[in-house]
């Protein structure tokens, strides 16, 4: 996979290439990564990459000529790449979009700055427009790194160990179960007994249960969008019955139960 970021701040990418899984993926030739300075393709003594907007208004707009020259140079370096403009107006990035992008041979990521890019580059030179979420950044560089990061870890062999992108939260549509490591008691808080039991079947059951409950509590939207299996539905139903039991046991003891509350069992 080939990533080329087009930016007026290529230095922002240096520490990103040099750490962790991205660094290892580059060393293992799983990915090729570069940041090209758009300014290198700008004309004139001052090599301006931005200019005032036609029609007036505050802020600057990225000039089309340096951008198209940089895109052409990148496309020559990495043919059959997909050219993506990072922009607040793009479709929202998520794991599904990451998977989709991971299937392309290369990505040319155009990082906007200022108030945006001249509209005329979109028609011919941009294949896709992506935003990473509904908040305002100062430019597309961090968005490009987010995309490179998420796409790289989907490439087989980049995660190392027994880790797999398939096992992730979101890939499966539920959040990950709680995790613990040593010490067994931390500030008075103990590790759940079942995890120390060595009973792998029980551990798997506990993990699935806590995954589902946690997803229900923190991200109902994920559960609604997901098809649940029979055993999964059973786990949530049992949890529901456990809560109902707890509540009815409580109201049995409580003296301030509302009139009409059932007081049986
Ligand atoms: C005044 C209108 N602004 C749009 C919300 C202008 C504007 C703000 C910020 C234009 C560009 C930017 C810089 N942001 C990006 O280039 C960007 C971005 C973002 O701000 N949020 C989420 N995803 C992305 S991808 C690129």
């Amino acid at each position: 996979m080939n990533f080329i970021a087009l930016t007026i701040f290529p230095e922002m990418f240096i520490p990103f290439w040099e750490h962790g899984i991205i660094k290892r993926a580059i060393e293992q030739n799983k990915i090729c990564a570069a940041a090209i300075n758009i300014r290198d393709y700008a004309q004139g003594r001052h090599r301006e990459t931005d200019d005032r907007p036609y029609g007036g208004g505050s802020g600057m707009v990225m000039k089309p000529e340096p951008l198209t020259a940089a895109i052409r140079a990148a496309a020559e370096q990495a043919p059959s790449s997909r050219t993506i403009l990072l922009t607040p107006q793009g479709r929202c990035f998520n794991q599904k979009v990451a998977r989709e992008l991971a299937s392309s041979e290369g990505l040319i990521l155009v990082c906007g700055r200022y108030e945006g890019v001249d509209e005329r580059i979109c028609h011919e030179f941009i294949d896709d427009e992506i935003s990473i979420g509904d908040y305002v950044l100062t430019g597309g560089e961090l968005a490009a790194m987010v995309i490179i990061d998420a796409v790289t870890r989907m490439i087989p062999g980049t995660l190392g160990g027994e880790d797999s992108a398939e096992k992730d939260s979101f890939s499966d549509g539920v959040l990950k179960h709680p995790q613990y490591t040593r010490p067994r008691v931390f500030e008075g808080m103990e590790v759940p007994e079942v995890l120390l039991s060595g009973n792998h079947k029980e551990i798997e059951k506990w993990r699935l249960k806590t995954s589902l409950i946690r997803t229900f509590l923190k991200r109902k939207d994920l559960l609604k969008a997901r098809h649940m299996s029979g055993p999964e539905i059973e786990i949530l139903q049992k949890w529901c019955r456990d809560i109902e039991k707890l509540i009815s046991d409580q109201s049995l003891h409580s003296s301030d139960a509302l009139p009409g509350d059932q007081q049986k069992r």
Side-chain angles (χ1 to χ4, degrees):
M1 182 97 191
N2 208 317
F3 298 103
I4 301 179
L6 306 184
T7 168
I8 58 166
F9 296 130
E11 295 84 2
M12 281 180 75
F13 288 81
I14 294 170
F16 176 58
W17 308 139
E18 289 183 349
H19 291 93
I21 285 167
I22 302 297
K23 180 186 179 187
R24 198 175 58 205
I26 294 169
E27 286 168 354
Q28 296 177 343
N29 293 318
K30 304 265 187 209
I31 65 168
C32 213
I36 289 183
N37 195 339
I38 296 165
R39 197 175 293 279
D40 292 346
Y41 296 87
Q43 301 294 310
R45 205 161 61 86
H46 297 289
R47 297 192 165 270
E48 302 280 18
T49 56
D50 62 326
D51 205 343
R52 295 179 325 249
Y54 271 121
S58 62
M60 299 292 268
V61 176
M62 291 187 84
K63 289 165 68 61
E65 308 94 315
L67 263 179
T68 53
I71 292 171
R72 284 201 175 103
E76 220 161 280
Q77 266 184 45
S80 62
S81 289
R82 191 147 137 187
T83 304
I84 296 169
L85 177 66
L86 289 320
T87 163
Q89 301 147 70
R91 64 189 175 121
C92 197
F93 188 67
N94 59 28
Q95 195 67 5
K96 196 172 153 225
V97 177
R99 212 173 298 130
E100 184 192 320
L101 297 183
S103 69
S104 44
E105 253 173 70
L107 299 179
I108 295 169
L109 299 145
V110 182
C111 308
R113 278 270 151 181
Y114 319 114
E115 284 304 298
V117 301
D118 187 301
E119 188 66 23
R120 291 166 295 183
I121 77 135
C122 303
H123 303 308
E124 259 191 78
F125 298 92
I126 301 296
D127 301 318
D128 207 348
E129 297 184 20
I130 293 179
S131 155
I132 60 164
D134 292 339
Y135 37 82
V136 184
L137 303 173
T138 57
E141 284 78 7
L142 286 169
M145 289 185 233
V146 165
I147 289 171
I148 294 167
D149 196 271
V151 170
T152 295
R153 63 189 299 298
M154 305 205 87
I155 299 170
T158 52
L159 291 186
E162 53 198 297
D163 263 2
S164 119
E166 285 314 298
K167 273 191 164 183
D168 286 336
S169 293
F170 295 114
S171 299
D172 188 33
V174 291
L175 302 178
K176 200 165 170 83
H177 53 76
Q179 307 225 71
Y180 299 88
T181 184
R182 290 186 292 180
R184 210 174 136 159
V185 182
F186 170 69
E187 309 233 328
M189 296 173 282
E190 287 182 30
V191 173
E193 197 64 41
V194 62
L195 298 181
L196 312 171
S197 69
N199 185 335
H200 296 290
K201 209 170 150 235
E202 282 304 310
I203 291 170
E204 272 319 300
K205 264 168 71 182
W206 180 87
R207 286 184 167 163
L208 179 57
K209 177 179 136 186
T210 50
S211 262
L212 290 168
I213 293 172
R214 168 176 277 204
T215 310
F216 174 80
L217 292 174
K218 298 182 192 216
R219 292 293 306 274
K220 274 189 202 53
D221 59 309
L222 293 180
L223 275 193
K224 281 181 182 162
R226 182 173 182 276
H227 178 81
M228 265 191 266
S229 71
E232 289 173 352
I233 291 169
E234 251 170 62
I235 285 170
L236 282 181
Q237 279 173 334
K238 169 153 193 317
W239 183 59
C240 199
R241 285 195 302 273
D242 289 348
I243 293 174
E244 279 171 349
K245 171 84 164 55
L246 187 95
I247 293 169
S248 67
D249 287 353
Q250 282 285 320
S251 56
L252 207 66
H253 301 305
S254 99
S255 52
D256 58 6
L258 293 168
D261 271 5
Q262 292 198 338
Q263 298 274 316
K264 58 184 180 194
R265 246 183 284 173

